[in-house]
PDB file of all heavy atoms in Angstrom:
ATOM      1  N   LYS A 127       5.097  -9.577 -29.784  1.00  0.00           N
ATOM      2  CA  LYS A 127       6.004  -9.729 -28.646  1.00  0.00           C
ATOM      3  C   LYS A 127       6.368  -8.374 -28.042  1.00  0.00           C
ATOM      4  O   LYS A 127       6.990  -8.312 -26.995  1.00  0.00           O
ATOM      5  CB  LYS A 127       7.271 -10.476 -29.062  1.00  0.00           C
ATOM      6  CG  LYS A 127       6.996 -11.927 -29.371  1.00  0.00           C
ATOM      7  CD  LYS A 127       8.269 -12.680 -29.660  1.00  0.00           C
ATOM      8  CE  LYS A 127       7.925 -14.129 -29.971  1.00  0.00           C
ATOM      9  NZ  LYS A 127       9.088 -14.913 -30.336  1.00  0.00           N
ATOM     10  N   ASP A 128       5.986  -7.310 -28.706  1.00  0.00           N
ATOM     11  CA  ASP A 128       6.318  -5.954 -28.265  1.00  0.00           C
ATOM     12  C   ASP A 128       5.380  -5.535 -27.130  1.00  0.00           C
ATOM     13  O   ASP A 128       4.178  -5.364 -27.356  1.00  0.00           O
ATOM     14  CB  ASP A 128       6.189  -5.001 -29.452  1.00  0.00           C
ATOM     15  CG  ASP A 128       6.542  -3.571 -29.105  1.00  0.00           C
ATOM     16  OD1 ASP A 128       6.085  -3.056 -28.057  1.00  0.00           O
ATOM     17  OD2 ASP A 128       7.259  -2.933 -29.892  1.00  0.00           O
ATOM     18  N   PRO A 129       5.902  -5.350 -25.902  1.00  0.00           N
ATOM     19  CA  PRO A 129       5.042  -4.999 -24.762  1.00  0.00           C
ATOM     20  C   PRO A 129       4.214  -3.732 -24.978  1.00  0.00           C
ATOM     21  O   PRO A 129       3.052  -3.671 -24.577  1.00  0.00           O
ATOM     22  CB  PRO A 129       6.022  -4.815 -23.610  1.00  0.00           C
ATOM     23  CG  PRO A 129       7.221  -5.590 -24.006  1.00  0.00           C
ATOM     24  CD  PRO A 129       7.299  -5.516 -25.510  1.00  0.00           C
ATOM     25  N   TYR A 130       4.794  -2.713 -25.602  1.00  0.00           N
ATOM     26  CA  TYR A 130       4.057  -1.469 -25.818  1.00  0.00           C
ATOM     27  C   TYR A 130       2.854  -1.701 -26.732  1.00  0.00           C
ATOM     28  O   TYR A 130       1.746  -1.236 -26.450  1.00  0.00           O
ATOM     29  CB  TYR A 130       4.967  -0.392 -26.408  1.00  0.00           C
ATOM     30  CG  TYR A 130       4.220   0.890 -26.707  1.00  0.00           C
ATOM     31  CD1 TYR A 130       3.878   1.766 -25.678  1.00  0.00           C
ATOM     32  CD2 TYR A 130       3.828   1.200 -28.002  1.00  0.00           C
ATOM     33  CE1 TYR A 130       3.169   2.925 -25.934  1.00  0.00           C
ATOM     34  CE2 TYR A 130       3.119   2.362 -28.275  1.00  0.00           C
ATOM     35  CZ  TYR A 130       2.790   3.224 -27.236  1.00  0.00           C
ATOM     36  OH  TYR A 130       2.075   4.362 -27.490  1.00  0.00           O
ATOM     37  N   LYS A 131       3.058  -2.419 -27.839  1.00  0.00           N
ATOM     38  CA  LYS A 131       1.951  -2.691 -28.763  1.00  0.00           C
ATOM     39  C   LYS A 131       0.870  -3.523 -28.083  1.00  0.00           C
ATOM     40  O   LYS A 131      -0.325  -3.273 -28.273  1.00  0.00           O
ATOM     41  CB  LYS A 131       2.454  -3.395 -30.020  1.00  0.00           C
ATOM     42  CG  LYS A 131       3.282  -2.500 -30.916  1.00  0.00           C
ATOM     43  CD  LYS A 131       3.809  -3.256 -32.130  1.00  0.00           C
ATOM     44  CE  LYS A 131       4.663  -2.348 -33.000  1.00  0.00           C
ATOM     45  NZ  LYS A 131       5.227  -3.064 -34.144  1.00  0.00           N
ATOM     46  N   ILE A 132       1.282  -4.488 -27.281  1.00  0.00           N
ATOM     47  CA  ILE A 132       0.305  -5.310 -26.551  1.00  0.00           C
ATOM     48  C   ILE A 132      -0.463  -4.448 -25.554  1.00  0.00           C
ATOM     49  O   ILE A 132      -1.686  -4.566 -25.427  1.00  0.00           O
ATOM     50  CB  ILE A 132       1.010  -6.490 -25.854  1.00  0.00           C
ATOM     51  CG1 ILE A 132       1.610  -7.425 -26.909  1.00  0.00           C
ATOM     52  CG2 ILE A 132       0.038  -7.243 -24.941  1.00  0.00           C
ATOM     53  CD1 ILE A 132       2.576  -8.457 -26.356  1.00  0.00           C
ATOM     54  N   GLU A 133       0.246  -3.572 -24.871  1.00  0.00           N
ATOM     55  CA  GLU A 133      -0.419  -2.665 -23.924  1.00  0.00           C
ATOM     56  C   GLU A 133      -1.486  -1.829 -24.634  1.00  0.00           C
ATOM     57  O   GLU A 133      -2.600  -1.672 -24.136  1.00  0.00           O
ATOM     58  CB  GLU A 133       0.614  -1.742 -23.269  1.00  0.00           C
ATOM     59  CG  GLU A 133       0.017  -0.739 -22.292  1.00  0.00           C
ATOM     60  CD  GLU A 133       1.024   0.270 -21.777  1.00  0.00           C
ATOM     61  OE1 GLU A 133       2.246  -0.005 -21.793  1.00  0.00           O
ATOM     62  OE2 GLU A 133       0.589   1.362 -21.361  1.00  0.00           O
ATOM     63  N   MET A 134      -1.162  -1.308 -25.804  1.00  0.00           N
ATOM     64  CA  MET A 134      -2.120  -0.475 -26.539  1.00  0.00           C
ATOM     65  C   MET A 134      -3.339  -1.297 -26.996  1.00  0.00           C
ATOM     66  O   MET A 134      -4.470  -0.825 -26.930  1.00  0.00           O
ATOM     67  CB  MET A 134      -1.449   0.200 -27.737  1.00  0.00           C
ATOM     68  CG  MET A 134      -0.385   1.225 -27.369  1.00  0.00           C
ATOM     69  SD  MET A 134      -1.006   2.546 -26.287  1.00  0.00           S
ATOM     70  CE  MET A 134      -0.152   2.185 -24.766  1.00  0.00           C
ATOM     71  N   ILE A 135      -3.105  -2.526 -27.458  1.00  0.00           N
ATOM     72  CA  ILE A 135      -4.221  -3.389 -27.867  1.00  0.00           C
ATOM     73  C   ILE A 135      -5.131  -3.678 -26.676  1.00  0.00           C
ATOM     74  O   ILE A 135      -6.357  -3.567 -26.772  1.00  0.00           O
ATOM     75  CB  ILE A 135      -3.690  -4.716 -28.467  1.00  0.00           C
ATOM     76  CG1 ILE A 135      -3.067  -4.458 -29.837  1.00  0.00           C
ATOM     77  CG2 ILE A 135      -4.805  -5.754 -28.591  1.00  0.00           C
ATOM     78  CD1 ILE A 135      -2.317  -5.654 -30.398  1.00  0.00           C
ATOM     79  N   LEU A 136      -4.534  -4.035 -25.554  1.00  0.00           N
ATOM     80  CA  LEU A 136      -5.333  -4.356 -24.368  1.00  0.00           C
ATOM     81  C   LEU A 136      -6.023  -3.131 -23.805  1.00  0.00           C
ATOM     82  O   LEU A 136      -7.154  -3.214 -23.319  1.00  0.00           O
ATOM     83  CB  LEU A 136      -4.452  -5.017 -23.306  1.00  0.00           C
ATOM     84  CG  LEU A 136      -3.950  -6.416 -23.649  1.00  0.00           C
ATOM     85  CD1 LEU A 136      -2.990  -6.912 -22.576  1.00  0.00           C
ATOM     86  CD2 LEU A 136      -5.104  -7.378 -23.835  1.00  0.00           C
ATOM     87  N   LYS A 137      -5.367  -2.007 -23.875  1.00  0.00           N
ATOM     88  CA  LYS A 137      -5.966  -0.759 -23.405  1.00  0.00           C
ATOM     89  C   LYS A 137      -7.254  -0.460 -24.179  1.00  0.00           C
ATOM     90  O   LYS A 137      -8.250  -0.028 -23.601  1.00  0.00           O
ATOM     91  CB  LYS A 137      -4.952   0.380 -23.564  1.00  0.00           C
ATOM     92  CG  LYS A 137      -5.271   1.617 -22.799  1.00  0.00           C
ATOM     93  CD  LYS A 137      -4.094   2.576 -22.913  1.00  0.00           C
ATOM     94  CE  LYS A 137      -4.388   3.848 -22.177  1.00  0.00           C
ATOM     95  NZ  LYS A 137      -3.299   4.808 -22.263  1.00  0.00           N
ATOM     96  N   ASP A 138      -7.227  -0.720 -25.481  1.00  0.00           N
ATOM     97  CA  ASP A 138      -8.422  -0.519 -26.311  1.00  0.00           C
ATOM     98  C   ASP A 138      -9.488  -1.575 -26.055  1.00  0.00           C
ATOM     99  O   ASP A 138     -10.676  -1.299 -26.148  1.00  0.00           O
ATOM    100  CB  ASP A 138      -8.053  -0.522 -27.799  1.00  0.00           C
ATOM    101  CG  ASP A 138      -7.331   0.740 -28.231  1.00  0.00           C
ATOM    102  OD1 ASP A 138      -7.404   1.754 -27.516  1.00  0.00           O
ATOM    103  OD2 ASP A 138      -6.664   0.702 -29.284  1.00  0.00           O
ATOM    104  N   ALA A 139      -9.056  -2.806 -25.747  1.00  0.00           N
ATOM    105  CA  ALA A 139      -9.991  -3.923 -25.626  1.00  0.00           C
ATOM    106  C   ALA A 139     -10.631  -4.043 -24.246  1.00  0.00           C
ATOM    107  O   ALA A 139     -11.755  -4.543 -24.128  1.00  0.00           O
ATOM    108  CB  ALA A 139      -9.282  -5.236 -25.960  1.00  0.00           C
ATOM    109  N   LEU A 140      -9.941  -3.601 -23.205  1.00  0.00           N
ATOM    110  CA  LEU A 140     -10.415  -3.817 -21.838  1.00  0.00           C
ATOM    111  C   LEU A 140     -11.212  -2.641 -21.305  1.00  0.00           C
ATOM    112  O   LEU A 140     -10.924  -1.489 -21.622  1.00  0.00           O
ATOM    113  CB  LEU A 140      -9.230  -4.060 -20.904  1.00  0.00           C
ATOM    114  CG  LEU A 140      -8.393  -5.305 -21.162  1.00  0.00           C
ATOM    115  CD1 LEU A 140      -7.127  -5.275 -20.318  1.00  0.00           C
ATOM    116  CD2 LEU A 140      -9.208  -6.557 -20.882  1.00  0.00           C
ATOM    117  N   ASP A 141     -12.181  -2.952 -20.461  1.00  0.00           N
ATOM    118  CA  ASP A 141     -12.884  -1.919 -19.696  1.00  0.00           C
ATOM    119  C   ASP A 141     -11.839  -1.300 -18.760  1.00  0.00           C
ATOM    120  O   ASP A 141     -11.188  -2.032 -17.996  1.00  0.00           O
ATOM    121  CB  ASP A 141     -14.010  -2.566 -18.891  1.00  0.00           C
ATOM    122  CG  ASP A 141     -14.777  -1.585 -18.024  1.00  0.00           C
ATOM    123  OD1 ASP A 141     -14.254  -0.497 -17.704  1.00  0.00           O
ATOM    124  OD2 ASP A 141     -15.910  -1.919 -17.647  1.00  0.00           O
ATOM    125  N   PRO A 142     -11.650   0.010 -18.805  1.00  0.00           N
ATOM    126  CA  PRO A 142     -10.614   0.632 -17.959  1.00  0.00           C
ATOM    127  C   PRO A 142     -10.745   0.279 -16.479  1.00  0.00           C
ATOM    128  O   PRO A 142      -9.740   0.127 -15.795  1.00  0.00           O
ATOM    129  CB  PRO A 142     -10.822   2.138 -18.182  1.00  0.00           C
ATOM    130  CG  PRO A 142     -11.468   2.227 -19.520  1.00  0.00           C
ATOM    131  CD  PRO A 142     -12.326   1.001 -19.649  1.00  0.00           C
ATOM    132  N   LYS A 143     -11.971   0.096 -16.005  1.00  0.00           N
ATOM    133  CA  LYS A 143     -12.167  -0.240 -14.590  1.00  0.00           C
ATOM    134  C   LYS A 143     -11.695  -1.655 -14.268  1.00  0.00           C
ATOM    135  O   LYS A 143     -11.451  -1.975 -13.116  1.00  0.00           O
ATOM    136  CB  LYS A 143     -13.640  -0.087 -14.210  1.00  0.00           C
ATOM    137  CG  LYS A 143     -14.111   1.352 -14.204  1.00  0.00           C
ATOM    138  CD  LYS A 143     -15.567   1.418 -13.771  1.00  0.00           C
ATOM    139  CE  LYS A 143     -16.280   2.368 -14.690  1.00  0.00           C
ATOM    140  NZ  LYS A 143     -17.478   1.902 -15.268  1.00  0.00           N
ATOM    141  N   GLU A 144     -11.585  -2.491 -15.283  1.00  0.00           N
ATOM    142  CA  GLU A 144     -11.203  -3.893 -15.086  1.00  0.00           C
ATOM    143  C   GLU A 144      -9.766  -4.198 -15.509  1.00  0.00           C
ATOM    144  O   GLU A 144      -9.276  -5.297 -15.257  1.00  0.00           O
ATOM    145  CB  GLU A 144     -12.144  -4.807 -15.889  1.00  0.00           C
ATOM    146  CG  GLU A 144     -13.591  -4.715 -15.479  1.00  0.00           C
ATOM    147  CD  GLU A 144     -13.825  -5.246 -14.073  1.00  0.00           C
ATOM    148  OE1 GLU A 144     -13.141  -6.205 -13.669  1.00  0.00           O
ATOM    149  OE2 GLU A 144     -14.682  -4.691 -13.372  1.00  0.00           O
TER     150      GLU A 144
END
Side-chain angles (χ1 to χ4, degrees):
K127 291 185 180 177
D128 181 314
Y130 177 77
K131 290 178 181 178
I132 295 168
E133 179 187 337
M134 294 303 111
I135 288 170
L136 291 175
K137 196 173 179 180
D138 287 342
L140 296 170
D141 178 339
K143 291 182 224 130
E144 299 293 326

